Amino acid sequence: MAGIGRKQKFVVASVTQQEAVDFATSCPVVAVISKTSHLFRKVTFAATMGTGILSLALAQLPGALPGMARLAEGLWLFNIALFVLFAALYSARWVMFFDEAKQVFGHATVSMFFGTIPMGLATIINGFLSFGVSRWGAAAVAVAEALWWIDVAMALACGVLIPYLMFTRQQHSIDQMTAVWLLPVVAAEVAAASAGLLVPHLQDGGARFTVLITGYVLWAYSVPVALSILAILLLRMALHKLPHESMAASSWLALGPVGTGALGMLVLGAAAPATLAPFGLAEVGHVANGMGVVSGLLLWGLGLWWMMLATLITLRYFRAAVPFNLGWWGYTFPLGVFAVTTLRLAKVLDSLFFEVFGSALVVVLASLWLVVAWRTALGAYRGNLFVSPCIASMNRP
């Protein structure tokens, strides 16, 4: 199969391979798109996750800080632009370099990042509910609902197809395992949390009931599997110690499913009483609400343990120089969703501790985002950031 330095295969309807190559090299605009999409990586969608969760976290901060609402909404709009750009580039990669793009299914690490696509989309959906409703009213809710079902389909597919490929096609070993195994699985519980936020905005009782029940199914589809992976991850780190420094940020990924699982139970439980009562399930709704608070608090405690452990691991990594890579976006979303969960608990429990602690986490998140975003922009400008492991593996003899 051809390498980077050779002419690539294009899949273009009614156009021969040579004609497509000639067109891409003769047209400057197409040449730029071709080169950019050729090296584009799914891990870049993690930037939309980090940017999206920061916008949502800023919107949850207590108090009316001057300009904070506009800043949060601006970040959300910027995140939409990023997601559309990344989706277009990744789609172009599949159209122009199909033979290379399909190699991702056999890659033991890169394939896991399929889960970042629906999770990045979920932050946009939640933004329509947080920012869009005040601007566009019911239209924003309709868009959020439509996008949510698309997100559900992608999350369900990632959650089962990537593990299937792990079992049948890819090569894995316990000593090479990292927390990226969580990415395709966690997408479903992120969609579950979005369901809990969407339900109160729906007018039709049947639609509310369907989305709520689907949200609980998505939570169960993801969280138990994620916790199983975390148990294996603990064993792996005890036996084989920490992963390579290039995977330093993966230590924070374990916080993601725990924080999202807690948030999902909180928001689904809060939406349950009003949604289930018209269907003769009022008592079930009240029980679900109570279970959401208790289970959310328990999972938050587990997340606190993971966060403290991840902090110690990160400090150990950064005793030496850790080179920057796109994986650094893995620091942002897990911390962000844990911060949002903490602020949600502050409201539910009317707790000053959770309010202060959650606000502090948002400040740390914003600082991290600034560092990672700047390093990403600098690396993209220099052209040394986007290297596709799938292409690299094809060049090996």
Side-chain angles (χ1 to χ4, degrees), residues 192-193 195-197 199 211-212 215-216 219 263-273 288:
L197 297 173
V199 168
V211 172
L212 180 72
Y216 275 112
W219 192 95
L263 181 63
M265 290 303 289
L266 287 169
V267 295
L268 288 170

Side-chain angles (χ1 to χ4, degrees), residues 153-384:
M154 290 193 295
L156 289 174
C158 288
V160 71
L161 293 180
I162 300 303
Y164 174 76
L165 292 174
M166 293 173 67
F167 302 159
T168 60
R169 182 173 177 179
Q170 300 170 359
Q171 297 297 320
H172 292 272
S173 59
I174 189 68
D175 62 306
Q176 296 299 314
M177 176 196 184
T178 67
V180 297
W181 281 23
L182 293 164
L183 292 176
V185 173
V186 174
E189 66 180 87
V190 174
S194 296
L197 297 173
L198 175 62
V199 168
H201 294 276
L202 300 175
Q203 298 299 317
D204 181 71
R208 288 199 302 269
F209 182 84
T210 300
V211 172
L212 180 72
I213 297 302
T214 304
Y216 275 112
V217 171
L218 289 168
W219 192 95
Y221 186 90
S222 171
V223 175
V225 181
L227 293 177
S228 300
I229 293 174
L230 289 180
I232 301 173
L233 183 63
L234 282 174
L235 177 65
R236 175 254 178 270
M237 290 196 295
L239 296 180
H240 301 286
K241 309 312 173 190
L242 299 178
H244 187 267
E245 61 184 16
S246 63
M247 300 297 292
S250 67
S251 59
W252 285 85
L253 296 182
L255 182 61
V258 179
T260 308
L263 181 63
M265 290 303 289
L266 287 169
V267 295
L268 288 170
T275 302
L276 298 179
F279 295 89
L281 299 171
E283 292 186 2
V284 175
H286 290 299
V287 171
N289 190 17
M291 288 181 59
V293 175
V294 174
S295 59
L297 188 57
L298 293 175
L299 286 171
W300 186 90
L302 176 59
L304 180 63
W305 183 85
W306 272 108
M307 186 181 70
M308 294 174 66
L309 181 64
T311 301
L312 293 175
I313 291 174
T314 301
L315 292 174
R316 179 180 177 87
Y317 273 122
F318 276 85
R319 288 178 182 175
V322 177
F324 177 77
N325 58 60
L326 287 174
W328 279 34
W329 283 104
Y331 291 114
T332 57
F333 185 81
L335 179 61
V337 75
F338 192 69
V340 171
T341 302
T342 305
L343 292 174
R344 185 80 183 193
L345 281 170
K347 293 181 180 179
V348 172
L349 303 175
D350 192 21
S351 169
L352 179 61
F353 166 77
F354 282 104
E355 182 177 299
V356 173
F357 190 56
S359 299
L361 291 177
V362 175
V363 172
V364 175
L365 170 65
S367 302
L368 278 173
W369 185 89
L370 287 172
V371 172
V372 178
W374 168 251
R375 297 290 296 272
T376 301
L378 190 62
Y381 175 77
R382 292 175 176 173
N384 59 1

